[in-house]
Amino acid sequence: MFNITIKYFGFLKHIPLLPHLFDSFMKISILFSNKHTLDYIDEIENEVLSWNNTTVHLHKFGGIQFDVNKKEIGHIHSNGILDILFSREIKTQLIKQGKATEHHTIKNSGWITLHIKTDEDKITAIQLLRDSYSRKFTSPSPL
Amino acid sequence: MYQSRNAKLTLGIIVPNFVSLTFIGISKFAVDLLIKIKTDDYTAEGGTTLFVFSVFFVIPLVMGITSAYFWKDLGFKNIRYVTWSLLNTLIAILMSAIFLKEGIICLIIVSPVIFGCIVSGAFIGKVMFRRKNNTLNSSIIGILLVIFSADLFSKHQYTNKVTDTIIINAPINKVWQYVVEYAPITEKENYWLFQVGMPSPIQSTVDGHCVGAGRKCIFSNGYTFDEKMIVYKPNQELTFDITNQPRDPEIMGHIDILRGQFILKDNGNGTTTVTGNSWYKLYVFPVWYFDIWAESITRNVHLRVMEHIKTLSETNV
């Protein structure tokens, strides 16, 4: 459903609020199909926000985006799809290790995707986000 | 601490409903103002005004966002946002029944949209009001206000025609008499909205057989549509304008049935093809959602009448 919508109606993502509405409806639908995914997202969100200088806001195409010092760590769509941007070398390694797959739409890039469905996926997601956080984190100068 | 938690939870229910009533009041006021400028676009028969897209989408979204503001410190998980938003939806629907005098069928039709948008608003608000959100996403409120204003002042006019066809195993002159008027329908309802209480057609009577004659379509709750024949061609065509429709809360201000038509065609083999057409004007928006329902209801009214005409014609051949 998600992939079909992205493939054929992806151009609608630029209409203000529509991606957020779509994401919310995905969240409602996943409540009936795999409600644990929503708990995993809650837990990941709480974990990431416990790290220094992290912030959260709505992702422009629906879901929540985590930043550190205004750089994106990664974002999660409400159907449990985690997207993170790494370098292409790291992406290749992660895919080889089975920790992630090609990004669900942007293939020719460093973007990776992880479908969070189980407790193990949640742990992997936190590891990947932590890795991304470490790479993007630069300590702010003390005030 | 516990009292403060309960207070925030309660405020997250009371305030959004108050906000929604205020916004509905504003939209009603604006639409009333527009009626004075251009009556045809905004007024249904009997003076009831239309319900714009914002009432069903923007206002519930704002309700959800307002709830999330009060619930932001309660540490709710996603599932709690859904359950409390469900309560908010039920209260909003109850208030619509009390203050807007909406009928049960209308409320059944709008409730999935209202619920979806209230929950969406709550989810959006949850992230917006996160302590660690450094952007606040305040542009969302701006976008909603722009949509609300643009919606109020944009043109709202939509008419549609629904067509259904049935083949009856009877000669055309036999079918014609039942097209013009028919005895009460006694068959069980098989459309779910009729089964849950929506009035269905049961009988049609006429006071003459010529152009200008009156026709009445009587519904199961006793309500009557008054019709006037504008085309009366025996064994060919019956077209009638609706001159008066019941002041039913399910219909008032939502839809005007404008015209009905039956066209008969002799198939040359003892059978007759009957085509039923209905024209209506909608006063609830967005049409991409409400017209699905309007078409479905009109189609099932057609089919109930046409199946009955088929039964009568084929039984009495």
mmCIF file of all heavy atoms in Angstrom, chain A residues 25-68:
data_model
loop_
_atom_site.group_PDB
_atom_site.id
_atom_site.type_symbol
_atom_site.label_atom_id
_atom_site.label_comp_id
_atom_site.label_asym_id
_atom_site.label_seq_id
_atom_site.Cartn_x
_atom_site.Cartn_y
_atom_site.Cartn_z
ATOM 1 N N PHE A 25 -2.795 8.525 8.734
ATOM 2 C CA PHE A 25 -3.702 7.427 8.377
ATOM 3 C C PHE A 25 -2.954 6.093 8.366
ATOM 4 O O PHE A 25 -3.513 5.060 8.725
ATOM 5 C CB PHE A 25 -4.398 7.706 7.042
ATOM 6 C CG PHE A 25 -5.513 8.716 7.168
ATOM 7 C CD1 PHE A 25 -5.416 9.968 6.605
ATOM 8 C CD2 PHE A 25 -6.663 8.425 7.897
ATOM 9 C CE1 PHE A 25 -6.433 10.909 6.751
ATOM 10 C CE2 PHE A 25 -7.686 9.350 8.053
ATOM 11 C CZ PHE A 25 -7.572 10.603 7.480
ATOM 12 N N MET A 26 -1.663 6.126 7.986
ATOM 13 C CA MET A 26 -0.854 4.893 8.050
ATOM 14 C C MET A 26 -0.735 4.446 9.499
ATOM 15 O O MET A 26 -0.769 3.265 9.820
ATOM 16 C CB MET A 26 0.549 5.145 7.491
ATOM 17 C CG MET A 26 0.629 5.115 5.996
ATOM 18 S SD MET A 26 2.305 4.859 5.390
ATOM 19 C CE MET A 26 3.251 6.061 6.228
ATOM 20 N N LYS A 27 -0.578 5.449 10.382
ATOM 21 C CA LYS A 27 -0.425 5.136 11.800
ATOM 22 C C LYS A 27 -1.697 4.474 12.338
ATOM 23 O O LYS A 27 -1.640 3.512 13.104
ATOM 24 C CB LYS A 27 -0.135 6.433 12.571
ATOM 25 C CG LYS A 27 0.509 6.225 13.908
ATOM 26 C CD LYS A 27 0.815 7.537 14.581
ATOM 27 C CE LYS A 27 2.182 8.066 14.249
ATOM 28 N NZ LYS A 27 2.571 9.220 15.070
ATOM 29 N N ILE A 28 -2.841 4.998 11.907
ATOM 30 C CA ILE A 28 -4.116 4.403 12.348
ATOM 31 C C ILE A 28 -4.235 2.985 11.799
ATOM 32 O O ILE A 28 -4.622 2.061 12.514
ATOM 33 C CB ILE A 28 -5.311 5.273 11.890
ATOM 34 C CG1 ILE A 28 -5.271 6.635 12.588
ATOM 35 C CG2 ILE A 28 -6.640 4.576 12.197
ATOM 36 C CD1 ILE A 28 -6.225 7.668 12.013
ATOM 37 N N SER A 29 -3.872 2.814 10.519
ATOM 38 C CA SER A 29 -4.031 1.476 9.920
ATOM 39 C C SER A 29 -3.080 0.471 10.547
ATOM 40 O O SER A 29 -3.429 -0.693 10.734
ATOM 41 C CB SER A 29 -3.858 1.535 8.405
ATOM 42 O OG SER A 29 -2.527 1.800 8.091
ATOM 43 N N ILE A 30 -1.868 0.927 10.908
ATOM 44 C CA ILE A 30 -0.900 -0.015 11.493
ATOM 45 C C ILE A 30 -1.311 -0.421 12.911
ATOM 46 O O ILE A 30 -0.917 -1.488 13.409
ATOM 47 C CB ILE A 30 0.534 0.549 11.451
ATOM 48 C CG1 ILE A 30 1.526 -0.615 11.404
ATOM 49 C CG2 ILE A 30 0.846 1.436 12.630
ATOM 50 C CD1 ILE A 30 2.870 -0.251 10.890
ATOM 51 N N LEU A 31 -2.164 0.392 13.525
ATOM 52 C CA LEU A 31 -2.702 0.021 14.840
ATOM 53 C C LEU A 31 -3.448 -1.303 14.766
ATOM 54 O O LEU A 31 -3.480 -2.081 15.704
ATOM 55 C CB LEU A 31 -3.699 1.089 15.298
ATOM 56 C CG LEU A 31 -3.215 2.150 16.253
ATOM 57 C CD1 LEU A 31 -4.332 3.120 16.553
ATOM 58 C CD2 LEU A 31 -2.719 1.537 17.546
ATOM 59 N N PHE A 32 -4.087 -1.532 13.608
ATOM 60 C CA PHE A 32 -4.885 -2.746 13.446
ATOM 61 C C PHE A 32 -4.052 -3.901 12.893
ATOM 62 O O PHE A 32 -4.389 -5.054 13.093
ATOM 63 C CB PHE A 32 -6.082 -2.479 12.526
ATOM 64 C CG PHE A 32 -7.009 -1.433 13.076
ATOM 65 C CD1 PHE A 32 -6.958 -0.133 12.629
ATOM 66 C CD2 PHE A 32 -7.910 -1.756 14.090
ATOM 67 C CE1 PHE A 32 -7.802 0.853 13.158
ATOM 68 C CE2 PHE A 32 -8.753 -0.784 14.632
ATOM 69 C CZ PHE A 32 -8.696 0.521 14.167
ATOM 70 N N SER A 33 -2.961 -3.580 12.165
ATOM 71 C CA SER A 33 -2.178 -4.657 11.551
ATOM 72 C C SER A 33 -0.958 -5.060 12.391
ATOM 73 O O SER A 33 -0.654 -6.241 12.497
ATOM 74 C CB SER A 33 -1.730 -4.263 10.146
ATOM 75 O OG SER A 33 -0.975 -3.073 10.197
ATOM 76 N N ASN A 34 -0.263 -4.092 12.991
ATOM 77 C CA ASN A 34 0.905 -4.422 13.809
ATOM 78 C C ASN A 34 1.170 -3.291 14.807
ATOM 79 O O ASN A 34 2.046 -2.465 14.611
ATOM 80 C CB ASN A 34 2.138 -4.648 12.907
ATOM 81 C CG ASN A 34 3.337 -5.129 13.692
ATOM 82 O OD1 ASN A 34 3.234 -5.452 14.881
ATOM 83 N ND2 ASN A 34 4.486 -5.166 13.051
ATOM 84 N N LYS A 35 0.368 -3.282 15.864
ATOM 85 C CA LYS A 35 0.408 -2.130 16.770
ATOM 86 C C LYS A 35 1.733 -2.041 17.543
ATOM 87 O O LYS A 35 2.087 -0.980 18.041
ATOM 88 C CB LYS A 35 -0.793 -2.119 17.713
ATOM 89 C CG LYS A 35 -0.724 -2.994 18.930
ATOM 90 C CD LYS A 35 -1.976 -2.799 19.752
ATOM 91 C CE LYS A 35 -1.890 -3.552 21.063
ATOM 92 N NZ LYS A 35 -0.977 -2.943 22.021
ATOM 93 N N HIS A 36 2.483 -3.162 17.570
ATOM 94 C CA HIS A 36 3.782 -3.122 18.261
ATOM 95 C C HIS A 36 4.731 -2.141 17.588
ATOM 96 O O HIS A 36 5.573 -1.531 18.241
ATOM 97 C CB HIS A 36 4.410 -4.514 18.300
ATOM 98 C CG HIS A 36 3.610 -5.479 19.118
ATOM 99 N ND1 HIS A 36 3.389 -5.295 20.455
ATOM 100 C CD2 HIS A 36 2.957 -6.613 18.773
ATOM 101 C CE1 HIS A 36 2.639 -6.287 20.907
ATOM 102 N NE2 HIS A 36 2.349 -7.087 19.914
ATOM 103 N N THR A 37 4.570 -1.992 16.264
ATOM 104 C CA THR A 37 5.443 -1.065 15.534
ATOM 105 C C THR A 37 5.341 0.340 16.124
ATOM 106 O O THR A 37 6.343 1.044 16.259
ATOM 107 C CB THR A 37 5.066 -1.060 14.033
ATOM 108 O OG1 THR A 37 5.274 -2.376 13.535
ATOM 109 C CG2 THR A 37 5.924 -0.084 13.244
ATOM 110 N N LEU A 38 4.115 0.740 16.488
ATOM 111 C CA LEU A 38 3.939 2.077 17.066
ATOM 112 C C LEU A 38 4.656 2.183 18.413
ATOM 113 O O LEU A 38 5.237 3.222 18.732
ATOM 114 C CB LEU A 38 2.450 2.397 17.236
ATOM 115 C CG LEU A 38 1.671 2.691 15.958
ATOM 116 C CD1 LEU A 38 0.252 3.124 16.275
ATOM 117 C CD2 LEU A 38 2.366 3.769 15.131
ATOM 118 N N ASP A 39 4.606 1.099 19.193
ATOM 119 C CA ASP A 39 5.336 1.105 20.477
ATOM 120 C C ASP A 39 6.841 1.216 20.221
ATOM 121 O O ASP A 39 7.545 1.934 20.921
ATOM 122 C CB ASP A 39 5.034 -0.175 21.272
ATOM 123 C CG ASP A 39 3.591 -0.204 21.754
ATOM 124 O OD1 ASP A 39 2.998 0.894 21.900
ATOM 125 O OD2 ASP A 39 3.057 -1.302 21.975
ATOM 126 N N TYR A 40 7.316 0.477 19.198
ATOM 127 C CA TYR A 40 8.754 0.539 18.881
ATOM 128 C C TYR A 40 9.147 1.962 18.496
ATOM 129 O O TYR A 40 10.201 2.461 18.898
ATOM 130 C CB TYR A 40 9.105 -0.415 17.736
ATOM 131 C CG TYR A 40 8.862 -1.888 18.038
ATOM 132 C CD1 TYR A 40 8.394 -2.757 17.066
ATOM 133 C CD2 TYR A 40 9.105 -2.400 19.319
ATOM 134 C CE1 TYR A 40 8.162 -4.100 17.343
ATOM 135 C CE2 TYR A 40 8.875 -3.744 19.606
ATOM 136 C CZ TYR A 40 8.398 -4.583 18.614
ATOM 137 O OH TYR A 40 8.171 -5.899 18.899
ATOM 138 N N ILE A 41 8.283 2.618 17.702
ATOM 139 C CA ILE A 41 8.591 4.002 17.280
ATOM 140 C C ILE A 41 8.647 4.919 18.505
ATOM 141 O O ILE A 41 9.542 5.762 18.626
ATOM 142 C CB ILE A 41 7.562 4.505 16.233
ATOM 143 C CG1 ILE A 41 7.686 3.694 14.939
ATOM 144 C CG2 ILE A 41 7.764 5.998 15.938
ATOM 145 C CD1 ILE A 41 6.613 3.977 13.900
ATOM 146 N N ASP A 42 7.674 4.740 19.426
ATOM 147 C CA ASP A 42 7.683 5.533 20.669
ATOM 148 C C ASP A 42 8.999 5.335 21.421
ATOM 149 O O ASP A 42 9.614 6.290 21.897
ATOM 150 C CB ASP A 42 6.533 5.090 21.590
ATOM 151 C CG ASP A 42 5.196 5.699 21.183
ATOM 152 O OD1 ASP A 42 5.201 6.833 20.674
ATOM 153 O OD2 ASP A 42 4.160 5.038 21.379
ATOM 154 N N GLU A 43 9.427 4.058 21.526
ATOM 155 C CA GLU A 43 10.644 3.751 22.284
ATOM 156 C C GLU A 43 11.885 4.321 21.600
ATOM 157 O O GLU A 43 12.782 4.859 22.260
ATOM 158 C CB GLU A 43 10.779 2.228 22.472
ATOM 159 C CG GLU A 43 9.740 1.680 23.457
ATOM 160 C CD GLU A 43 9.604 0.162 23.391
ATOM 161 O OE1 GLU A 43 10.611 -0.518 23.149
ATOM 162 O OE2 GLU A 43 8.472 -0.345 23.582
ATOM 163 N N ILE A 44 11.923 4.213 20.280
ATOM 164 C CA ILE A 44 13.068 4.763 19.530
ATOM 165 C C ILE A 44 13.118 6.285 19.716
ATOM 166 O O ILE A 44 14.179 6.858 19.966
ATOM 167 C CB ILE A 44 12.971 4.391 18.027
ATOM 168 C CG1 ILE A 44 13.154 2.892 17.842
ATOM 169 C CG2 ILE A 44 13.994 5.163 17.192
ATOM 170 C CD1 ILE A 44 12.749 2.367 16.466
ATOM 171 N N GLU A 45 11.946 6.910 19.640
ATOM 172 C CA GLU A 45 11.871 8.368 19.775
ATOM 173 C C GLU A 45 12.396 8.794 21.160
ATOM 174 O O GLU A 45 13.221 9.710 21.266
ATOM 175 C CB GLU A 45 10.409 8.808 19.599
ATOM 176 C CG GLU A 45 10.225 10.317 19.572
ATOM 177 C CD GLU A 45 8.757 10.730 19.417
ATOM 178 O OE1 GLU A 45 7.926 9.889 19.003
ATOM 179 O OE2 GLU A 45 8.456 11.890 19.724
ATOM 180 N N ASN A 46 11.938 8.088 22.194
ATOM 181 C CA ASN A 46 12.391 8.430 23.557
ATOM 182 C C ASN A 46 13.896 8.232 23.710
ATOM 183 O O ASN A 46 14.573 9.038 24.342
ATOM 184 C CB ASN A 46 11.636 7.586 24.596
ATOM 185 C CG ASN A 46 10.186 8.023 24.705
ATOM 186 O OD1 ASN A 46 9.854 9.171 24.405
ATOM 187 N ND2 ASN A 46 9.321 7.103 25.109
ATOM 188 N N GLU A 47 14.400 7.152 23.094
ATOM 189 C CA GLU A 47 15.836 6.858 23.194
ATOM 190 C C GLU A 47 16.660 7.946 22.489
ATOM 191 O O GLU A 47 17.599 8.494 23.075
ATOM 192 C CB GLU A 47 16.114 5.476 22.573
ATOM 193 C CG GLU A 47 17.577 5.107 22.435
ATOM 194 C CD GLU A 47 18.301 4.958 23.771
ATOM 195 O OE1 GLU A 47 17.631 4.694 24.787
ATOM 196 O OE2 GLU A 47 19.544 5.149 23.781
ATOM 197 N N VAL A 48 16.283 8.257 21.263
ATOM 198 C CA VAL A 48 17.072 9.236 20.483
ATOM 199 C C VAL A 48 17.028 10.608 21.164
ATOM 200 O O VAL A 48 18.044 11.312 21.228
ATOM 201 C CB VAL A 48 16.568 9.327 19.023
ATOM 202 C CG1 VAL A 48 17.295 10.423 18.259
ATOM 203 C CG2 VAL A 48 16.761 7.991 18.310
ATOM 204 N N LEU A 49 15.876 10.960 21.710
ATOM 205 C CA LEU A 49 15.757 12.283 22.329
ATOM 206 C C LEU A 49 16.491 12.363 23.673
ATOM 207 O O LEU A 49 16.630 13.452 24.234
ATOM 208 C CB LEU A 49 14.287 12.671 22.491
ATOM 209 C CG LEU A 49 13.554 12.922 21.174
ATOM 210 C CD1 LEU A 49 12.110 13.335 21.407
ATOM 211 C CD2 LEU A 49 14.254 13.983 20.332
ATOM 212 N N SER A 50 16.956 11.217 24.160
ATOM 213 C CA SER A 50 17.728 11.249 25.405
ATOM 214 C C SER A 50 19.212 11.566 25.114
ATOM 215 O O SER A 50 19.991 11.793 26.032
ATOM 216 C CB SER A 50 17.615 9.907 26.143
ATOM 217 O OG SER A 50 18.292 8.898 25.429
ATOM 218 N N TRP A 51 19.589 11.546 23.831
ATOM 219 C CA TRP A 51 20.974 11.853 23.469
ATOM 220 C C TRP A 51 21.160 13.369 23.411
ATOM 221 O O TRP A 51 20.218 14.105 23.085
ATOM 222 C CB TRP A 51 21.335 11.241 22.099
ATOM 223 C CG TRP A 51 21.119 9.752 22.021
ATOM 224 C CD1 TRP A 51 21.043 8.875 23.060
ATOM 225 C CD2 TRP A 51 20.902 8.979 20.837
ATOM 226 N NE1 TRP A 51 20.804 7.604 22.617
ATOM 227 C CE2 TRP A 51 20.712 7.635 21.238
ATOM 228 C CE3 TRP A 51 20.854 9.266 19.478
ATOM 229 C CZ2 TRP A 51 20.482 6.603 20.338
ATOM 230 C CZ3 TRP A 51 20.635 8.239 18.571
ATOM 231 C CH2 TRP A 51 20.456 6.924 19.005
ATOM 232 N N ASN A 52 22.394 13.815 23.651
ATOM 233 C CA ASN A 52 22.681 15.261 23.679
ATOM 234 C C ASN A 52 22.365 15.957 22.367
ATOM 235 O O ASN A 52 22.723 15.462 21.295
ATOM 236 C CB ASN A 52 24.174 15.490 23.984
ATOM 237 C CG ASN A 52 24.441 15.373 25.459
ATOM 238 O OD1 ASN A 52 23.513 15.453 26.270
ATOM 239 N ND2 ASN A 52 25.702 15.167 25.813
ATOM 240 N N ASN A 53 21.714 17.111 22.490
ATOM 241 C CA ASN A 53 21.482 18.021 21.351
ATOM 242 C C ASN A 53 20.579 17.457 20.255
ATOM 243 O O ASN A 53 20.600 17.959 19.129
ATOM 244 C CB ASN A 53 22.799 18.468 20.715
ATOM 245 C CG ASN A 53 23.588 19.336 21.653
ATOM 246 O OD1 ASN A 53 23.013 20.009 22.512
ATOM 247 N ND2 ASN A 53 24.903 19.297 21.525
ATOM 248 N N THR A 54 19.846 16.402 20.561
ATOM 249 C CA THR A 54 18.933 15.881 19.529
ATOM 250 C C THR A 54 17.592 16.607 19.609
ATOM 251 O O THR A 54 17.159 17.008 20.687
ATOM 252 C CB THR A 54 18.693 14.365 19.700
ATOM 253 O OG1 THR A 54 18.315 14.120 21.045
ATOM 254 C CG2 THR A 54 19.907 13.566 19.318
ATOM 255 N N THR A 55 16.981 16.765 18.472
ATOM 256 C CA THR A 55 15.638 17.365 18.406
ATOM 257 C C THR A 55 14.782 16.535 17.464
ATOM 258 O O THR A 55 15.301 15.731 16.674
ATOM 259 C CB THR A 55 15.689 18.816 17.873
ATOM 260 O OG1 THR A 55 16.344 18.815 16.615
ATOM 261 C CG2 THR A 55 16.395 19.759 18.832
ATOM 262 N N VAL A 56 13.473 16.746 17.568
ATOM 263 C CA VAL A 56 12.544 16.015 16.695
ATOM 264 C C VAL A 56 11.574 17.011 16.086
ATOM 265 O O VAL A 56 11.214 18.002 16.716
ATOM 266 C CB VAL A 56 11.798 14.910 17.483
ATOM 267 C CG1 VAL A 56 10.897 15.507 18.557
ATOM 268 C CG2 VAL A 56 10.975 14.025 16.556
ATOM 269 N N HIS A 57 11.188 16.774 14.873
ATOM 270 C CA HIS A 57 10.128 17.570 14.243
ATOM 271 C C HIS A 57 9.480 16.740 13.150
ATOM 272 O O HIS A 57 9.922 15.625 12.856
ATOM 273 C CB HIS A 57 10.681 18.901 13.689
ATOM 274 C CG HIS A 57 11.786 18.760 12.693
ATOM 275 N ND1 HIS A 57 11.571 18.725 11.345
ATOM 276 C CD2 HIS A 57 13.130 18.618 12.869
ATOM 277 C CE1 HIS A 57 12.733 18.589 10.724
ATOM 278 N NE2 HIS A 57 13.700 18.518 11.622
ATOM 279 N N LEU A 58 8.421 17.280 12.573
ATOM 280 C CA LEU A 58 7.721 16.540 11.521
ATOM 281 C C LEU A 58 8.613 16.487 10.285
ATOM 282 O O LEU A 58 9.187 17.505 9.889
ATOM 283 C CB LEU A 58 6.408 17.236 11.165
ATOM 284 C CG LEU A 58 5.337 17.247 12.262
ATOM 285 C CD1 LEU A 58 4.210 18.205 11.890
ATOM 286 C CD2 LEU A 58 4.774 15.851 12.485
ATOM 287 N N HIS A 59 8.706 15.304 9.694
ATOM 288 C CA HIS A 59 9.465 15.181 8.452
ATOM 289 C C HIS A 59 8.631 15.767 7.309
ATOM 290 O O HIS A 59 7.406 15.628 7.302
ATOM 291 C CB HIS A 59 9.781 13.702 8.186
ATOM 292 C CG HIS A 59 10.565 13.478 6.937
ATOM 293 N ND1 HIS A 59 11.821 14.000 6.755
ATOM 294 C CD2 HIS A 59 10.280 12.797 5.806
ATOM 295 C CE1 HIS A 59 12.265 13.644 5.558
ATOM 296 N NE2 HIS A 59 11.344 12.916 4.968
ATOM 297 N N LYS A 60 9.272 16.410 6.371
ATOM 298 C CA LYS A 60 8.511 17.124 5.321
ATOM 299 C C LYS A 60 7.609 16.186 4.526
ATOM 300 O O LYS A 60 6.591 16.622 3.979
ATOM 301 C CB LYS A 60 9.442 17.895 4.392
ATOM 302 C CG LYS A 60 10.467 17.052 3.661
ATOM 303 C CD LYS A 60 11.385 17.915 2.823
ATOM 304 C CE LYS A 60 12.496 17.068 2.228
ATOM 305 N NZ LYS A 60 13.430 17.857 1.429
ATOM 306 N N PHE A 61 7.958 14.911 4.441
ATOM 307 C CA PHE A 61 7.121 13.979 3.691
ATOM 308 C C PHE A 61 6.368 13.016 4.618
ATOM 309 O O PHE A 61 6.012 11.905 4.225
ATOM 310 C CB PHE A 61 7.954 13.204 2.666
ATOM 311 C CG PHE A 61 8.618 14.097 1.644
ATOM 312 C CD1 PHE A 61 9.888 13.840 1.192
ATOM 313 C CD2 PHE A 61 7.944 15.210 1.140
ATOM 314 C CE1 PHE A 61 10.497 14.669 0.249
ATOM 315 C CE2 PHE A 61 8.543 16.047 0.205
ATOM 316 C CZ PHE A 61 9.817 15.781 -0.242
ATOM 317 N N GLY A 62 6.123 13.429 5.861
ATOM 318 C CA GLY A 62 5.361 12.614 6.806
ATOM 319 C C GLY A 62 6.256 11.778 7.689
ATOM 320 O O GLY A 62 7.277 11.261 7.232
ATOM 321 N N GLY A 63 5.873 11.664 8.961
ATOM 322 C CA GLY A 63 6.688 10.935 9.922
ATOM 323 C C GLY A 63 7.452 11.907 10.803
ATOM 324 O O GLY A 63 7.207 13.115 10.768
ATOM 325 N N ILE A 64 8.404 11.362 11.573
ATOM 326 C CA ILE A 64 9.180 12.227 12.462
ATOM 327 C C ILE A 64 10.644 12.181 12.064
ATOM 328 O O ILE A 64 11.162 11.136 11.678
ATOM 329 C CB ILE A 64 9.003 11.831 13.949
ATOM 330 C CG1 ILE A 64 9.239 10.336 14.168
ATOM 331 C CG2 ILE A 64 7.640 12.254 14.456
ATOM 332 C CD1 ILE A 64 9.247 9.940 15.641
ATOM 333 N N GLN A 65 11.267 13.339 12.176
ATOM 334 C CA GLN A 65 12.687 13.447 11.803
ATOM 335 C C GLN A 65 13.503 13.826 13.035
ATOM 336 O O GLN A 65 13.125 14.723 13.790
ATOM 337 C CB GLN A 65 12.848 14.515 10.717
ATOM 338 C CG GLN A 65 14.299 14.752 10.319
ATOM 339 C CD GLN A 65 14.426 15.737 9.173
ATOM 340 O OE1 GLN A 65 13.610 15.738 8.251
ATOM 341 N NE2 GLN A 65 15.450 16.571 9.215
ATOM 342 N N PHE A 66 14.626 13.120 13.218
ATOM 343 C CA PHE A 66 15.538 13.428 14.318
ATOM 344 C C PHE A 66 16.725 14.204 13.763
ATOM 345 O O PHE A 66 17.290 13.823 12.727
ATOM 346 C CB PHE A 66 16.055 12.144 14.977
ATOM 347 C CG PHE A 66 14.962 11.251 15.477
ATOM 348 C CD1 PHE A 66 14.693 10.028 14.857
ATOM 349 C CD2 PHE A 66 14.185 11.620 16.576
ATOM 350 C CE1 PHE A 66 13.688 9.202 15.313
ATOM 351 C CE2 PHE A 66 13.170 10.803 17.026
ATOM 352 C CZ PHE A 66 12.922 9.588 16.393
ATOM 353 N N ASP A 67 17.096 15.268 14.468
ATOM 354 C CA ASP A 67 18.250 16.084 14.065
ATOM 355 C C ASP A 67 19.241 16.186 15.218
ATOM 356 O O ASP A 67 18.853 16.060 16.381
ATOM 357 C CB ASP A 67 17.818 17.514 13.705
ATOM 358 C CG ASP A 67 17.046 17.589 12.398
ATOM 359 O OD1 ASP A 67 16.923 16.548 11.723
ATOM 360 O OD2 ASP A 67 16.550 18.680 12.076
ATOM 361 N N VAL A 68 20.482 16.427 14.851
ATOM 362 C CA VAL A 68 21.461 16.817 15.859
ATOM 363 C C VAL A 68 22.186 18.029 15.279
ATOM 364 O O VAL A 68 22.670 17.986 14.149
ATOM 365 C CB VAL A 68 22.433 15.670 16.233
ATOM 366 C CG1 VAL A 68 23.198 15.118 15.031
ATOM 367 C CG2 VAL A 68 23.400 16.137 17.306
#
